[in-house]
Amino acid sequence: MENIRLLSTSMVQATTDKVKDVRIELTQCDLKLLLLGAIQKGLLFIKPKSLEDQNSLIHHLQTSLSRTLDFFNPLAGRLATVEHDDNTVSFFIDCNNAGAQFVHAAADGVAMADILHPVYVPPIVHSFFPLNGVLNYEAVSKPLLAVQVTELADGIFVGCTMNHAAVDGTSFWNFFNSWSEIHRGLDQISNTPVLERWSLLNGSISPPIRLPLSIINNCSDAFTPSPLQERVFHFTKGKIAMLKAKANAEAASTSISSLQSLLAHIWRATTRTRLVEHDKETDLLLLIGLRTRLQPPLPGSYCGNAVVTGTVTLRTGEILEHGLGFVALEINKVVSSYTKNKLKDALESSLKNPGPLTMAGIALRSGSANKFDGKVTVFPGLEEGSMDIELSVLPETLKALENDLEFMDAVTIISS
C-alpha cells in the first residue's frame, strides 16, 4: 500500500454569518477535555465509477458541508481565550466563521478490501484523518472541524476530526447525520442543534469558568502510548441477548442492560489475559450521559459535552472468580447511582476543580485520536440490536483474547 497523496486543502465557511461574533463559553464538561485529542470517526463508501461523478462528489461534499455549517456555525469558528489578572484563563468559542478545513487526498493502490478484510485495523486508516496529534486547546489557531475525503481505488473514505472541547459523541454524530441530509438535497435537518451553552447546574447561560493559567502553559504532549493493535469484534443481537440473560440470571436481577452485560464480558476477558495479581484493583471508567439525567433534561440535540465519568473499581480476583453476573451488576450499580443529587455533586465538584484531564490521567475516553491500552469504542452493528466493539490493546493482549474460548464464543466472525 502506498502513502497518502494530498490533492488539495481549503477552508469551508458557513454560507451565512447569522451568528458571527457570538461568544459561547465552555462548560466544566467541555473544559475537562482541553488537553486531550479530538473525536475522529469516518465512513467508507463505494466510489462513483466515472471521473466526472467523482469530481462532482468532491464539489458537492464541500458545498453541502458549507450549508451544514449554517446549522452548526460554532464548528466554523475557533477557540479563544481571555487571560485574567489573577493568573487564570477562560476559554470560549468565537463564532467568527473562519472556516472548517477540507482536505482532498488519495490513497494510491489502496482498495476497500485492504481496509475491511484484515483482522486488525490497518495503520493506514489513521492517515485518513486530518489534524492528527492536535490537542483540543490548540484550536485557538487550528480549526474546530476538519474533514478529509480520501479516494481509494474503489472507495471514498470521509474522515471527520472534531474538537472534543466543542462537542461530545452525540453532537458529533448529529453533525455527521445532518451533513448527510443536506448532501442528499434536504433544505432542513431533522435534528436542529441547540448551540447555547447552559450551566449544567441551573439551566442558565454558562458563565466564563476560569482555569489556572499554569495548567495550559505547563501542559505536555510528551506522553507516548505503548504500541497498540486494534480490532473490531462483532456481537450479534442473539449473542448479546444470551450474555444479558446469563448476567441477569447469575445476579438474580432484571435490570442489567445489554451493554452492561457486554462490557462485563469484555472486562472479564481482558483481565484473564493480562496475568495480573488477584488482589490488584482495576478500574473501568464509563461515560455517563447527562442529557436525560439532568432535571430539567437537556435537549437531545444539545451541541456540547454532556457527560461525566463513572468508575467501577473491583479487584481482579473478584472479576475472575464471581462470574459475569457479579461484574455486570457492579457496572449496573455505578450507572444507576448517577441520580439527580449525585450528578449535581459531580458537576459542582468539577466547577470548583475545573482542571482538564490529561492523556496519562484518564483510562477511558471516546474518540479514536485518544489511543491507549484498554480503550473500548462501541458502535451499532449493521443488524438491528447488534454491536461492533473496537478494542485497542497491547498486541499480546489481543492475541490472548483471540485464543480465549469464553470470549470468542460470543463473537461472530464476519466472512469477507
Coordinates of all heavy atoms in Angstrom, one line a residue, residues 235-290:
F235 N -20.6 -8.5 17.6 CA -21.5 -9.3 18.5 C -22.9 -9.2 18.0 O -23.5 -8.1 17.9 CB -21.4 -8.8 20.0 CG -20.1 -8.9 20.6 CD1 -19.1 -7.9 20.4 CD2 -19.8 -10.0 21.4 CE1 -17.8 -8.1 21.0 CE2 -18.5 -10.1 22.0 CZ -17.6 -9.2 21.8
T236 N -23.5 -10.3 17.6 CA -24.9 -10.3 17.1 C -25.9 -10.0 18.2 O -25.6 -10.2 19.4 CB -25.2 -11.6 16.4 OG1 -25.2 -12.7 17.4 CG2 -24.2 -12.0 15.3
K237 N -27.1 -9.7 17.7 CA -28.2 -9.4 18.6 C -28.5 -10.7 19.5 O -28.7 -10.6 20.7 CB -29.5 -9.1 17.8 CG -30.7 -8.8 18.7 CD -31.9 -8.4 17.8 CE -33.1 -8.2 18.6 NZ -34.3 -7.8 17.7
G238 N -28.4 -11.9 18.9 CA -28.7 -13.1 19.6 C -27.6 -13.4 20.7 O -27.9 -13.8 21.8
K239 N -26.3 -13.2 20.3 CA -25.2 -13.4 21.3 C -25.3 -12.4 22.5 O -25.1 -12.8 23.6 CB -23.9 -13.3 20.6 CG -23.6 -14.4 19.6 CD -23.3 -15.7 20.3 CE -22.8 -16.8 19.3 NZ -22.5 -18.0 20.0
I240 N -25.7 -11.2 22.1 CA -25.8 -10.2 23.2 C -27.0 -10.5 24.1 O -26.9 -10.4 25.4 CB -26.0 -8.8 22.6 CG1 -24.7 -8.4 21.8 CG2 -26.3 -7.8 23.7 CD1 -24.9 -7.1 21.0
A241 N -28.1 -11.0 23.5 CA -29.2 -11.4 24.4 C -28.8 -12.6 25.3 O -29.3 -12.6 26.4 CB -30.4 -11.8 23.4
M242 N -28.0 -13.5 24.8 CA -27.5 -14.6 25.7 C -26.7 -14.1 26.8 O -26.9 -14.6 28.0 CB -26.8 -15.6 24.8 CG -27.6 -16.4 23.8 SD -26.6 -17.4 22.7 CE -25.9 -18.6 23.9
L243 N -25.8 -13.2 26.5 CA -25.0 -12.6 27.6 C -25.8 -11.9 28.6 O -25.6 -12.0 29.9 CB -23.9 -11.6 27.0 CG -22.8 -12.2 26.3 CD1 -21.9 -11.1 25.6 CD2 -21.9 -13.1 27.2
K244 N -26.8 -11.1 28.2 CA -27.7 -10.4 29.1 C -28.5 -11.3 29.9 O -28.7 -11.1 31.1 CB -28.7 -9.5 28.2 CG -29.7 -8.7 29.1 CD -30.6 -7.8 28.2 CE -31.6 -7.1 29.0 NZ -32.5 -6.3 28.2
A245 N -29.1 -12.4 29.3 CA -29.8 -13.4 30.1 C -29.0 -14.0 31.1 O -29.4 -14.3 32.3 CB -30.4 -14.4 29.1
K246 N -27.7 -14.4 30.8 CA -26.8 -15.1 31.7 C -26.5 -14.1 32.9 O -26.5 -14.6 34.0 CB -25.6 -15.5 31.0 CG -24.5 -16.2 31.9 CD -23.3 -16.6 31.1 CE -22.3 -17.3 32.0 NZ -21.0 -17.6 31.3
A247 N -26.2 -12.9 32.6 CA -25.8 -11.9 33.6 C -26.9 -11.7 34.6 O -26.7 -11.7 35.8 CB -25.4 -10.6 33.0
N248 N -28.1 -11.5 34.1 CA -29.3 -11.2 35.0 C -29.6 -12.5 35.8 O -30.0 -12.4 37.0 CB -30.5 -10.8 34.1 CG -30.5 -9.3 33.8 OD1 -30.7 -8.5 34.7 ND2 -30.2 -9.0 32.6
A249 N -29.5 -13.7 35.2 CA -29.8 -14.9 35.9 C -28.8 -15.1 37.1 O -29.1 -15.4 38.2 CB -29.7 -16.1 35.0
E250 N -27.5 -14.9 36.8 CA -26.4 -15.1 37.8 C -26.6 -14.1 38.9 O -26.3 -14.4 40.1 CB -25.1 -15.0 37.1 CG -24.7 -16.1 36.2 CD -23.3 -16.0 35.7 OE1 -22.6 -15.0 36.1 OE2 -22.8 -16.9 34.9
A251 N -27.0 -12.9 38.6 CA -27.1 -11.8 39.6 C -28.5 -11.7 40.2 O -28.7 -10.9 41.1 CB -26.8 -10.5 38.9
A252 N -29.4 -12.6 39.8 CA -30.8 -12.6 40.3 C -31.4 -11.2 40.1 O -31.9 -10.6 41.0 CB -30.8 -13.0 41.8
S253 N -31.2 -10.7 38.9 CA -31.6 -9.3 38.6 C -32.4 -9.3 37.3 O -32.4 -10.3 36.5 CB -30.4 -8.4 38.5 OG -30.7 -7.1 38.0
T254 N -33.1 -8.2 37.1 CA -33.8 -8.0 35.8 C -33.3 -6.6 35.2 O -33.9 -6.2 34.1 CB -35.3 -8.0 35.9 OG1 -35.7 -7.0 36.8 CG2 -35.8 -9.3 36.4
S255 N -32.4 -5.9 35.8 CA -32.1 -4.6 35.5 C -30.8 -4.4 34.7 O -30.5 -3.3 34.2 CB -32.0 -3.7 36.7 OG -31.0 -4.1 37.6
I256 N -30.0 -5.5 34.5 CA -28.8 -5.4 33.8 C -29.0 -5.3 32.3 O -29.8 -6.1 31.7 CB -27.9 -6.6 34.1 CG1 -27.5 -6.6 35.6 CG2 -26.6 -6.6 33.2 CD1 -26.8 -7.9 36.0
S257 N -28.4 -4.3 31.7 CA -28.7 -4.0 30.3 C -27.8 -4.8 29.4 O -26.9 -5.5 29.8 CB -28.5 -2.5 29.9 OG -27.1 -2.2 30.0
S258 N -28.1 -4.8 28.1 CA -27.3 -5.5 27.1 C -25.9 -4.9 27.1 O -24.9 -5.7 27.0 CB -27.9 -5.3 25.7 OG -29.2 -5.9 25.6
L259 N -25.7 -3.6 27.1 CA -24.4 -3.0 27.0 C -23.6 -3.3 28.3 O -22.4 -3.6 28.2 CB -24.5 -1.5 26.8 CG -23.2 -0.8 26.8 CD1 -22.3 -1.3 25.6 CD2 -23.4 0.7 26.6
Q260 N -24.3 -3.3 29.4 CA -23.6 -3.6 30.7 C -23.1 -5.1 30.7 O -22.0 -5.4 31.2 CB -24.5 -3.3 31.9 CG -24.8 -1.8 32.1 CD -26.0 -1.6 32.9 OE1 -26.6 -2.5 33.5 NE2 -26.4 -0.3 33.1
S261 N -23.9 -5.9 30.1 CA -23.5 -7.4 30.1 C -22.3 -7.5 29.1 O -21.4 -8.3 29.4 CB -24.7 -8.2 29.5 OG -25.8 -8.0 30.3
L262 N -22.3 -6.8 28.0 CA -21.2 -6.9 27.0 C -20.0 -6.4 27.6 O -18.9 -6.9 27.4 CB -21.6 -6.2 25.7 CG -20.6 -6.3 24.6 CD1 -20.3 -7.8 24.3 CD2 -21.2 -5.7 23.3
L263 N -20.0 -5.2 28.3 CA -18.9 -4.6 28.9 C -18.3 -5.5 30.0 O -17.0 -5.6 30.1 CB -19.2 -3.2 29.5 CG -19.5 -2.1 28.5 CD1 -19.9 -0.9 29.2 CD2 -18.3 -1.9 27.6
A264 N -19.1 -6.2 30.7 CA -18.7 -7.1 31.7 C -17.9 -8.3 31.1 O -16.9 -8.7 31.6 CB -19.8 -7.6 32.6
H265 N -18.5 -8.8 30.0 CA -17.8 -9.9 29.3 C -16.4 -9.5 28.8 O -15.5 -10.3 28.9 CB -18.7 -10.2 28.1 CG -18.2 -11.3 27.2 ND1 -18.1 -12.6 27.6 CD2 -17.7 -11.3 25.9 CE1 -17.6 -13.4 26.7 NE2 -17.4 -12.6 25.6
I266 N -16.3 -8.3 28.2 CA -15.0 -7.8 27.8 C -14.1 -7.5 28.9 O -12.9 -7.9 28.8 CB -15.2 -6.5 26.9 CG1 -16.1 -6.8 25.7 CG2 -13.9 -5.9 26.5 CD1 -16.5 -5.6 25.0
W267 N -14.5 -7.0 30.0 CA -13.7 -6.7 31.1 C -13.1 -8.0 31.7 O -11.9 -8.1 32.1 CB -14.5 -5.9 32.2 CG -13.6 -5.2 33.2 CD1 -12.3 -5.1 33.2 CD2 -14.1 -4.6 34.4 NE1 -11.9 -4.4 34.4 CE2 -13.0 -4.1 35.1 CE3 -15.4 -4.4 35.0 CZ2 -13.1 -3.4 36.4 CZ3 -15.5 -3.7 36.2 CH2 -14.3 -3.2 36.9
R268 N -14.0 -8.9 31.9 CA -13.5 -10.2 32.4 C -12.5 -10.9 31.5 O -11.5 -11.4 32.0 CB -14.7 -11.2 32.6 CG -15.7 -10.7 33.7 CD -16.7 -11.8 34.0 NE -16.1 -12.9 34.7 CZ -16.1 -14.2 34.3 NH1 -16.6 -14.5 33.1 NH2 -15.6 -15.1 35.1
A269 N -12.7 -10.8 30.2 CA -11.8 -11.4 29.3 C -10.4 -10.7 29.3 O -9.4 -11.4 29.3 CB -12.4 -11.4 27.9
T270 N -10.4 -9.4 29.2 CA -9.1 -8.7 29.2 C -8.4 -8.9 30.5 O -7.1 -9.0 30.6 CB -9.3 -7.2 28.9 OG1 -10.3 -6.7 29.9 CG2 -9.8 -7.0 27.5
T271 N -9.1 -9.0 31.6 CA -8.5 -9.3 32.9 C -7.8 -10.7 32.9 O -6.7 -10.9 33.4 CB -9.5 -9.2 34.1 OG1 -10.1 -7.9 34.1 CG2 -8.8 -9.4 35.4
R272 N -8.5 -11.7 32.4 CA -8.0 -13.0 32.3 C -6.7 -13.1 31.5 O -5.7 -13.8 31.8 CB -9.0 -14.0 31.6 CG -10.0 -14.5 32.5 CD -10.7 -15.7 31.8 NE -11.3 -15.5 30.5 CZ -12.5 -15.0 30.3 NH1 -13.3 -14.8 31.4 NH2 -13.0 -14.8 29.1
T273 N -6.6 -12.3 30.4 CA -5.4 -12.3 29.5 C -4.2 -11.5 30.0 O -3.1 -11.7 29.5 CB -5.8 -11.9 28.1 OG1 -6.3 -10.5 28.2 CG2 -7.0 -12.7 27.6
R274 N -4.4 -10.7 31.0 CA -3.3 -9.8 31.4 C -2.5 -10.3 32.5 O -1.5 -9.7 32.9 CB -3.9 -8.4 31.8 CG -4.2 -7.6 30.5 CD -4.9 -6.3 30.9 NE -4.9 -5.4 29.8 CZ -5.8 -4.4 29.7 NH1 -6.7 -4.2 30.6 NH2 -5.8 -3.6 28.6
L275 N -2.8 -11.4 33.1 CA -2.0 -12.1 34.1 C -1.6 -11.2 35.2 O -0.4 -11.1 35.6 CB -0.7 -12.7 33.4 CG -1.0 -13.7 32.3 CD1 0.3 -14.2 31.7 CD2 -1.7 -14.9 32.8
V276 N -2.5 -10.5 35.8 CA -2.2 -9.6 36.9 C -2.6 -10.2 38.2 O -3.3 -11.3 38.3 CB -3.1 -8.3 36.8 CG1 -2.6 -7.5 35.6 CG2 -4.6 -8.6 36.7
E277 N -2.0 -9.7 39.3 CA -2.2 -10.2 40.7 C -3.7 -10.2 41.0 O -4.4 -9.3 40.7 CB -1.4 -9.4 41.7 CG 0.1 -9.4 41.4 CD 0.5 -8.2 40.5 OE1 -0.5 -7.6 40.0 OE2 1.7 -8.0 40.4
H278 N -4.2 -11.2 41.8 CA -5.6 -11.4 42.1 C -6.1 -10.3 43.0 O -7.3 -10.0 43.0 CB -5.8 -12.7 42.7 CG -6.3 -13.8 41.7 ND1 -5.7 -13.9 40.5 CD2 -7.3 -14.7 41.8 CE1 -6.3 -14.8 39.8 NE2 -7.3 -15.3 40.5
D279 N -5.2 -9.7 43.8 CA -5.6 -8.7 44.8 C -5.4 -7.3 44.3 O -5.6 -6.3 45.0 CB -4.9 -8.8 46.1 CG -3.4 -8.7 46.0 OD1 -2.9 -8.6 44.9 OD2 -2.8 -8.5 47.1
K280 N -5.1 -7.1 43.0 CA -4.9 -5.8 42.4 C -6.2 -5.2 42.0 O -7.1 -5.8 41.4 CB -4.0 -5.9 41.2 CG -3.7 -4.5 40.6 CD -2.7 -4.7 39.4 CE -2.4 -3.3 38.7 NZ -1.6 -3.4 37.6
E281 N -6.4 -3.9 42.4 CA -7.6 -3.2 42.0 C -7.5 -2.7 40.5 O -6.4 -2.3 40.0 CB -7.8 -1.9 42.9 CG -8.3 -2.3 44.2 CD -8.8 -1.0 45.0 OE1 -8.4 0.1 44.5 OE2 -9.5 -1.1 46.0
T282 N -8.6 -2.8 39.8 CA -8.7 -2.4 38.4 C -9.9 -1.6 38.2 O -10.9 -1.8 38.8 CB -8.6 -3.6 37.5 OG1 -8.7 -3.1 36.1 CG2 -9.8 -4.5 37.7
D283 N -9.8 -0.5 37.4 CA -10.9 0.4 37.2 C -11.5 0.3 35.8 O -10.8 0.1 34.8 CB -10.5 1.8 37.4 CG -10.1 2.2 38.8 OD1 -10.5 1.4 39.7 OD2 -9.4 3.1 39.0
L284 N -12.8 0.4 35.7 CA -13.5 0.5 34.4 C -14.1 1.9 34.5 O -15.0 2.2 35.3 CB -14.6 -0.6 34.3 CG -15.5 -0.4 33.0 CD1 -14.6 -0.6 31.7 CD2 -16.6 -1.4 33.1
L285 N -13.7 2.8 33.6 CA -14.3 4.1 33.5 C -15.3 4.2 32.5 O -15.1 3.8 31.3 CB -13.2 5.2 33.2 CG -12.6 5.8 34.5 CD1 -11.8 4.8 35.3 CD2 -11.7 7.0 34.1
L286 N -16.5 4.7 32.8 CA -17.6 4.7 32.0 C -18.0 6.2 31.7 O -17.9 7.0 32.6 CB -18.9 4.0 32.6 CG -18.7 2.6 33.0 CD1 -19.8 2.2 33.9 CD2 -18.6 1.7 31.8
L287 N -18.5 6.5 30.5 CA -19.0 7.8 30.2 C -20.5 7.8 30.5 O -21.3 7.0 29.9 CB -18.7 8.2 28.8 CG -17.3 8.3 28.4 CD1 -17.1 8.7 26.9 CD2 -16.6 9.3 29.3
I288 N -21.0 8.6 31.4 CA -22.4 8.7 31.8 C -23.0 9.9 31.2 O -22.6 11.1 31.4 CB -22.5 8.8 33.4 CG1 -21.6 7.8 34.1 CG2 -23.9 8.8 33.8 CD1 -22.1 6.4 33.9
G289 N -24.0 9.7 30.3 CA -24.6 10.8 29.6 C -25.5 11.6 30.5 O -26.2 11.0 31.4
L290 N -25.5 12.9 30.3 CA -26.3 13.8 31.2 C -27.6 14.3 30.6 O -28.5 14.8 31.3 CB -25.5 15.1 31.5 CG -24.1 14.9 32.2 CD1 -23.5 16.2 32.4 CD2 -24.4 14.1 33.5

